[in-house]
Amino acid sequence: MAMIDANGLALHVERMPARMPARTAAGTAPPPTVVLVHGMLIDSLISYYFTLAPRFAAAGLDVIMYDLRGQGLSERPPAGYRLEDHLDDLEALLDRLDPAGPVHLVGNSYGGTIAFGHAARHPGRVASVSMIESEPATAAWSRKMAVNLARGAEELAREGLFAELTEKHGKHVTKRVRSAARLLHSTTTARDVPASRVLDEDAIRSVDCPVLALYGAESELAVQEEWLRSLLPDCRTVVVPDQEHWVLVGATELTGGLILDWIRAHTPVPAHTPIPVHTPVPAAGDVIR
């Protein structure tokens, strides 16, 4: 575990070095770097630690994971939770870690919104973006977040909630939900996130790095995949049947294979690179069957 000062906060960071460094005639080439950004409230870098991170490291990627401000083991300030605050954190963290070359960003849910926002801000620093059940920050996104966070704050204050969760799902789930409740009730998160600066369609179109977007067929976000492809110059979307919002957990193997292939397809790699091709990258708007 490492605590790194970035943007004035102590952020919890974990790294999994590439286990199979790429070799060229001149020696060992720096492995591609992938940065994994988790979702909001009950999430933390742990969601990657036991899903994508080990697979990516074994495939020859240098993996960086971190807890967002206020979540996991990172510092929890009382205010400062707009999207641009999270973007400042990621920018400062990458400045501190100084990875070799442009990074591949993978974001789950709100983490995908952060990843896309970073690509819009720093096009030259991003090799590709993979969004899992996520969307860019737009005016519609802001309105939705305001409703969802207000509803979440109310539900997480409900009497008897934690006893019910412990009985149904155990103490581990209850611990994570308690942490989410503290974030909503002791910080300005619910007010700050909907007040974030958003992107218009011209700003979204300006993101020219390759973007892969994965959606669950039963998720409310799946309807936007055609819209996203219509705006981005290099975008593939995949709709996964029988999945709702938690595609990362419900279809981990498929998700990992698709993202690895996307990274491989958009990394200038030396000969004999160890990053394997797992699943052919589907055509835009494909549905995995």
Side-chain angles (χ1 to χ4, degrees), residues 7 38 43 163 168 208:
N7 194 29
H38 67 75
D43 212 354
K168 292 180 180 179
D208 58 1

Side-chain angles (χ1 to χ4, degrees), residues 191-209:
R191 296 196 301 274
D192 287 355
V193 173
S196 301
R197 288 195 292 269
V198 298
L199 302 174
D200 59 20
E201 289 196 347
D202 286 340
I204 294 172
R205 287 190 185 96
S206 73
V207 175
D208 58 1
C209 74

